[in-house]
Amino acid sequence: MTTPFPFTAVVGQDDLRLALLLNAVSPAVGGVLVRGEKGTAKSTAVRALSALLPEVAVVPGCRFSCDPSSPDPACPDGPHETGPGAQRPARMVELPVGASEDRLVGALDIERALAEGVKAFEPGLLADAHRGILYVDEVNLLHDHLVDLLLDAAAMGASYVEREGVSVRHAARFLLVGTMNPEEGELRPQLLDRFGLTVEVAASREPDQRVEVVRRRLAYDDEPAAFTARWADEESSVRARIIAARALLPSVRLGDGALRQIAATCAAFEVDGMRADIVMARTATALAAWAGRTDVLAEDVRQAALLALPHRRRRNPFDAPGLDENKLDDTLEEFAEQEQEPTQGPEDDDPGPDGPDGPGGGGGQSPEDDSDGPQSGGTAAQPEAGESGEPQPSGTGSGEQQPVRASEPFRTKVLSVPGLGEGAAGRRSRARTEHGRTTGARRPQGALTKLHLAATVQAAAPHQLARGRAGRGLVVRRDDLRQATREGREGNLVLFVVDASGSMAARQRMSAVKGAVLSLLLDAYQRRDKVGLVTFRGSAADVALPPTSSVDAAAVRLESLPTGGRTPLAAGLLKAHDVLRVERLRDPARRALVVVVTDGRATGGPEPVALAWRAARLFAADGVASVVVDCESGPVRLGLAGQLAGELEGTAVTLDELRADSIAGLVKDVQRRAA
């Protein structure tokens, strides 16, 4: 068995370690989501935590880890009698990204359930993790329906398995820890909200600290047992502190003052719902217990806000997570002064609306601090300063020009790939999926996951006499079982091919182009798509962003996109074709939709237009769905973008039509061409 890296030997990452320890003290906090770049000890710290958790008492032989002092009356292995039980270490169970629903929640033996009426149940990972840690690495890559099941079980403390009228329920209370790299895609806001705390981690930029990280890691890799032994005293000390904090937790008093601070903070940051208030209250209580106190202080409320609120403030994938600490301090200070105000007497009316700034001249700085916020009334002069740089590139010639801001995004209609796919679950194009409406039945390939009851009965019925059926029960054999086929929606790869040449460099036009692409990126986020970005200008094309689930990364690359130079349209199309070829090897089931944003002009090299048309025909030959966004403007139009769409066997739409939310006709045109 591999010796885990000691938790107390992790260098830095104070917020990460604190968030994990608070959940160890009070699992009711709701788990931790750890966000950060690769190689920042996320997985190491989580795996090390399990060694610090106290041992748990379990009913001998129970597959669901029932507590012998209060066994679960609904345990599938029960009923159990109360007794001394057996001690075992707390488990840490890892949920792989590619796990199936049956592996997560457990599986029923459908054949025995139908033929014998027996609830033959094989426990899943949720049962294994009961009273321990459930760790999900790369939780943002987990299928949405598995995340839903996981978070529902974490919220209810129980797992339910329902199959064709047969149901099993068992306790599932665990410390949920998820890690993710935001560059690979974000979680939906509804799922983010279900994690109690969130922590942002990054590698230290301090050379001394980085040296210590390397030194400890090399020492651990050389002699894991000896290295762990050197940290045994620190590990025992933290384990004892966790046990003491758990014992103290019921005695911690959360006063009305702290509760009002929590409510005021959540209201000030406009957090949706009430879950944030509850999580902050539990976190502040755990912080007090961890510090060995029985009263919650303002510092506990502040720390709880820093851990519980940042991920609940995101409204869309382009919002940066985080919390304005100055605003947090101002809110807590303002509330504290409001609490003291009744004891100061009526003669203290003089401060008036500036009262919260208090002594020290704070009132002179408050308007400047507030000017950074969206609700400030004194920001009228700020946009002028920002806009003063806008016209600077307008006098430049054919060279590279400064990036321009995207116009305001708008809601788009659905673009979908024609036909029926079998890709990853999403919300864009029609596909055969594990979840959706039932469209038929087939023989199961591998384990049966979704029983089609009517088809199973129909397959078994003709053989009942031959099988010697005597009673009321139906004699069902494995060959009779039928898997339900279902139709839902899949996510696609939306590959943007954007013309950044000099012909596109007019500021107003490029701003509109970026706004349109940004709108489609928002749509791709909502529909669980992967996105990619290819740009072409000068003499070549570049992959600005390889296919990824991180649409906010695409938005950042789009915002900084420079323009100018010639128009190597053929190079852009060939680069996009190469990206699709490589991605097809990695993810063959995911279908692609190519969105070419250009005015159709092609310059540079011999016969640039003919080369572009030849490259476009490669997409048509591969059957790739495509849309051309025609950015040509002015009184004289060449119609080259429309010709490009014809060579692609796709659809063309003008930029004005796209911005006017008139993209609905594209779907019909794409589907008509495929028919």
Side-chain angles (χ1 to χ4, degrees):
M1 181 177 178
T2 304
T3 304
F5 192 91
F7 186 85
T8 51
V10 175
V11 178
Q13 308 297 7
D14 294 338
D15 287 344
L16 170 59
R17 292 191 293 169
L18 177 61
L20 292 171
L21 290 169
L22 292 177
N23 274 272
V25 171
S26 176
V29 166
V32 186
L33 176 64
V34 187
R35 299 163 46 92
E37 57 197 28
K38 53 187 176 293
T40 49
K42 300 189 298 294
S43 301
T44 299
V46 176
R47 293 188 175 99
L49 178 67
S50 61
L52 294 179
L53 297 182
E55 290 189 337
V56 295
V58 297
V59 173
C62 178
R63 298 175 297 167
F64 301 89
S65 302
C66 279
D67 186 346
S69 62
S70 57
D72 182 5
C75 176
D77 283 356
H80 303 298
E81 295 183 359
T82 57
Q87 297 288 125
R88 68 159 176 78
R91 293 174 181 156
M92 195 203 73
V93 177
E94 293 195 43
L95 174 61
V97 169
S100 66
E101 182 178 335
D102 283 349
R103 185 72 187 99
L104 176 63
V105 300
L108 287 170
D109 189 331
I110 301 295
E111 184 177 0
R112 291 189 63 193
L114 289 175
E116 305 172 28
V118 176
K119 294 181 181 179
F121 181 69
E122 185 65 30
L125 295 176
L126 292 180
D128 292 342
H130 180 47
R131 305 175 68 198
I133 300 173
L134 181 59
Y135 172 50
V136 189
D137 193 14
E138 305 293 352
V139 65
N140 52 326
L141 303 182
L142 200 64
H143 284 289
D144 282 347
H145 73 283
L146 292 182
V147 178
D148 289 333
L149 289 169
L150 181 64
L151 296 178
D152 283 344
M156 296 186 296
S159 175
Y160 294 84
V161 182
E162 302 279 349
R163 296 285 170 81
E164 304 298 339
V166 180
S167 64
V168 171
R169 173 229 172 257
H170 65 83
R173 293 184 295 276
F174 46 82
L175 166 55
L176 175 63
V177 183
T179 59
M180 60 176 283
N181 184 346
E183 293 180 357
E184 297 173 341
E186 286 288 352
L187 279 173
R188 306 198 312 265
Q190 299 92 327
L191 300 182
L192 280 172
D193 184 53
R194 301 293 290 274
F195 282 94
L197 309 179
T198 186
V199 177
E200 294 279 341
V201 296
S204 172
R205 299 301 183 256
E206 286 290 331
D208 290 344
Q209 195 171 78
R210 296 175 74 97
V211 166
E212 186 61 22
V213 170
V214 175
R215 182 180 291 120
R216 292 186 186 184
R217 186 70 213 190
L218 293 178
Y220 170 77
D221 290 341
D222 289 343
E223 296 183 32
F227 181 83
T228 303
R230 288 200 295 271
W231 292 88
D233 291 342
E234 287 83 351
E235 294 282 286
S236 298
S237 176
V238 173
R239 188 180 299 109
R241 190 174 173 185
I242 292 174
I243 295 172
R246 284 185 174 184
L248 183 62
L249 188 65
S251 303
V252 175
R253 189 180 69 88
L254 184 65
D256 288 344
L259 277 173
R260 288 194 179 93
Q261 281 187 316
I262 290 169
T265 302
C266 292
F269 285 99
E270 300 180 354
V271 177
D272 294 335
M274 295 298 298
R275 185 175 282 119
D277 303 63
I278 296 171
V279 171
M280 273 190 65
R282 289 172 174 165
T283 305
T285 304
L287 280 162
W290 178 248
R293 290 184 270 103
T294 56
D295 286 309
V296 173
L297 305 181
E299 62 194 61
D300 299 323
V301 175
R302 185 184 190 278
Q303 184 64 57
L306 293 174
L307 293 172
L309 295 189
H311 61 302
R312 293 185 164 89
R313 298 196 63 240
R314 297 192 62 164
R315 294 295 186 269
N316 65 62
F318 307 145
D319 291 339
L323 209 63
D324 185 342
E325 294 194 35
N326 290 331
K327 182 177 179 180
L328 174 60
D329 291 336
D330 290 344
T331 302
L332 294 175
E333 182 181 352
E334 178 182 359
F335 175 79
E337 293 188 2
Q338 288 177 356
E339 285 289 291
Q340 297 170 6
E341 188 174 348
T343 66
Q344 294 173 352
E347 64 275 9
D348 292 325
D349 292 337
D350 182 58
D354 297 327
D357 297 320
Q365 294 179 346
S366 182
E368 293 179 7
D369 294 340
D370 290 342
S371 67
D372 293 335
Q375 297 179 357
S376 172
T379 59
Q382 293 290 83
E384 294 178 8
E387 291 168 6
S388 64
E390 279 286 302
Q392 290 178 3
S394 62
T396 59
S398 58
E400 181 174 311
Q401 300 191 14
Q402 298 260 340
V404 299
R405 278 189 160 299
S407 62
E408 192 68 22
F410 53 87
R411 187 173 181 82
T412 68
K413 299 289 179 65
V414 181
L415 284 170
S416 63
V417 178
L420 193 63
E422 294 184 348
R427 294 185 175 181
R428 184 171 295 278
S429 305
R430 294 174 54 221
R432 298 183 185 92
T433 60
E434 286 294 320
H435 298 270
R437 63 185 182 89
T438 301
T439 58
R442 61 174 174 80
R443 291 181 181 273
Q445 299 171 349
L448 178 71
T449 55
K450 298 291 182 182
L451 178 74
H452 195 297
L453 183 58
T456 299
V457 172
Q458 187 176 7
H463 308 290
Q464 296 306 295
L465 290 177
R467 293 173 183 172
R469 174 184 171 184
R472 299 176 59 185
L474 190 68
V475 181
V476 179
R477 295 181 179 171
R478 184 160 296 278
D479 289 343
D480 302 326
L481 300 178
R482 295 294 181 268
Q483 174 86 22
T485 58
R486 304 192 175 201
E487 182 178 312
R489 294 279 171 178
E490 67 175 359
N492 298 116
L493 167 60
V494 182
L495 181 62
F496 294 95
V497 186
V498 180
D499 184 349
S501 64
S503 64
M504 297 283 291
R507 299 188 68 81
Q508 187 174 1
R509 192 198 311 179
M510 201 61 199
S511 177
V513 167
K514 287 187 175 182
V517 177
L518 197 63
S519 303
L520 291 170
L521 282 172
L522 276 168
D523 183 67
Y525 167 75
Q526 294 167 350
R527 301 187 186 283
R528 318 289 184 266
D529 293 318
K530 293 179 73 173
V531 296
L533 178 62
V534 173
T535 65
F536 56 95
R537 56 181 293 274
S539 60
D542 295 311
V543 181
L545 183 72
T548 175
S549 297
S550 178
V551 296
D552 50 345
V556 171
R557 305 292 171 88
L558 179 72
E559 194 69 28
S560 60
L561 178 66
T563 58
R566 294 181 177 273
T567 313
L569 177 57
L573 293 173
L574 290 173
K575 180 69 73 175
H577 187 268
D578 190 53
V579 169
L580 292 183
R581 179 185 60 81
V582 174
E583 191 63 19
R584 212 174 284 128
L585 297 175
R586 294 175 178 163
D587 194 355
R590 190 181 292 269
R591 298 184 295 163
L593 173 66
V594 176
V595 180
V596 186
V597 185
T598 181
D599 57 10
R601 290 181 172 84
T603 59
E607 300 183 345
V609 175
L611 285 175
W613 288 178
R614 216 172 298 155
R617 286 193 284 272
L618 294 175
F619 292 87
D622 290 343
V624 178
S626 60
V627 173
V628 178
V629 179
D630 184 0
C631 301
E632 191 174 30
S633 61
V636 179
R637 296 176 182 251
L638 303 178
L640 294 174
Q643 295 180 44
L644 174 62
E647 299 294 338
L648 287 166
E649 295 187 7
T651 303
V653 60
T654 67
L655 187 59
D656 289 339
E657 290 170 341
L658 190 65
R659 285 180 54 80
D661 206 13
S662 301
I663 207 168
L666 294 178
V667 182
K668 297 178 182 177
D669 290 343
V670 170
Q671 291 174 340
R672 275 201 303 270
R673 289 175 181 272

